[in-house]
Each structure stands twice: as structure tokens, then as C-alpha cells.
Amino acid sequence: MPLPDEPAPTAPDEIAGALADPGYAVVPGFLGEATGLALLEEIRASRERGDLHEAAVGRGGEKQVRSEIRSDHVLWLDPADLSPAQSCYWEALAAVRASLNRELFLGLFDLEAHLACYPPGAFYKAHLDCHRGVSARTVSAILYLNRDWTPEDGGLLRLYTDREAGTAGPFVDIAPEFGKLVLFLSADFWHEVLPANRERFSLTGWFRKRDASPI
Ligand code: OGA
Ligand code: MN
């Protein structure tokens, strides 16, 4: 089984246009190889130190670990204490944020991001990253850090491309390959992570809007 046919790749300077229509973008080779490798080493090291913790679902006081919904392990980045590689990532995403604000008037004012590791067998069932009017999360941006990903490794991102039909409609499957950045409108696109058969590493970020109701 080959890797899936993915949506046509988007160049970094065309991200805003792709988010306007069709609402998502797949950008291969987003960060330089050296930065990606440094980020990968940092996630591995954090994982070995036991710094990653089971990810929760829900908001605020309702946050809880529900391993039947998601079973990845995460570590939130601290914008005040970024490593050099994390600063490169942060700055690259700040440039994307500026272009989205300039071209789409999205009013994005900051980024929150976590390292994520899916151990073998881990998954994340179909979900939206935010519910309209409830959360400030506006654009999801996931950077994958897995070298030599093969079809047998599983762990595809399944993105349901029809906003109205959601999980009942068509989807694309995206392999979590090293250096690939995937972006989509957080309130519009249902998505899930299919079970991974080997450790799967990523840096998941969300651009947030100032004028949404408090989380
Ligand atoms: C998430 C998520 C997708 C992925 O963390 O909310 O949907 O491919 N991640 O890692
Ligand atoms: Mn998600």
C-alpha cells in the first residue's frame, strides 16, 4: 500500500490563499532540516526524561484525560523559555501569522503549541479543535517530525474536507512526514489521527484570536 495521495502541496507564501479556499494547506519542507532534527532530538529527550504527560480533552475545569479519545503525550512550549530550535519554529509561525492577518484579516494575536508524541498504538479520535464562538483557536498548524515514514507506520492525519458533512463526508489522509506543516481552520474541519504503529512526533500549534469569548 503506497502513502496516500495528498492534497497538492502549498508553498509557504501561498498559505493564506489556501486557508481562504479550500480552508487547509499542506506545506512540505516547512522548516530547515537542521531545525527539524534539533526539534526531534528535543522531543525525544523530553520523552526520555518523562517530561511529556498524557494529553487531556475538554476546556478549563472540564479538562480530563480520556485515553479512549486520545492517547498521545504532550509538553506545552513556554514562549518565555524556548530553545534555539523552538525559537526558529516560533518565528517561522509568527511570519505565517502576520501574513494571515495581513491577507485574511484574521486578527490572530498569539500562538500556543505543544510537543506531541504518539506511542505505538496511540490515536486521536475525530474531533474539532474548537467550537465556534467558544474558543479562541482559529487556525491549527501541525509540524511533523518523522523521518522515513512508511504506510505500515499508520498514524495518518485524516482530514474531513467537507465542512458541512464532517465525518460523514470525503476525507484526505496525510502522512506525518518530517518537515511537513499542515494548517486548517480549527472550527471548520473535523480530523483524527489514525493509530500509529511506531512513535510519532509532532509540534502542534494553534493561532488564537483576541476577540473570541474566554476559554
Ligand atoms: C491535535 C491533533 C493531529 C496530528 O493535537 O488536536 O488533531 O496529526 N493532532 O497530530
Ligand atoms: Mn486536533
Side-chain angles (χ1 to χ4, degrees), residues 43-104:
I43 300 192
R44 284 216 174 101
S46 302
R47 173 151 176 72
E48 268 158 37
R49 279 198 304 271
D51 289 348
L52 274 62
H53 50 83
E54 287 173 294
V57 296
R59 290 173 293 120
E62 290 161 25
K63 262 203 166 99
Q64 44 177 311
V65 171
R66 296 277 303 276
S67 55
E68 75 281 17
I69 298 177
R70 70 184 294 190
S71 43
D72 55 328
H73 289 66
V74 303
L75 177 65
W76 287 95
L77 293 189
D78 176 356
D81 186 24
L82 297 174
S83 71
Q86 291 170 359
S87 293
C88 286
Y89 160 83
W90 207 266
E91 279 162 29
L93 283 182
V96 172
R97 177 166 63 87
S99 86
L100 296 182
N101 286 341
R102 200 170 50 237
E103 294 183 41
L104 304 179

Side-chain angles (χ1 to χ4, degrees), residues 105-110 136-138 207-212:
F105 308 104
L106 284 182
L108 307 171
F109 81 104
D110 81 352
R137 285 181 176 174
T138 305
F207 293 121
R208 305 193 313 152
K209 223 200 248 272
R210 194 185 292 283
D211 60 358

Side-chain angles (χ1 to χ4, degrees), residues 122-143:
F123 56 83
Y124 193 162
K125 291 275 167 76
H127 64 281
L128 285 173
D129 280 349
C130 86
H131 296 277
R132 214 182 294 256
V134 175
S135 146
R137 285 181 176 174
T138 305
V139 175
S140 305
I142 308 156
L143 176 69

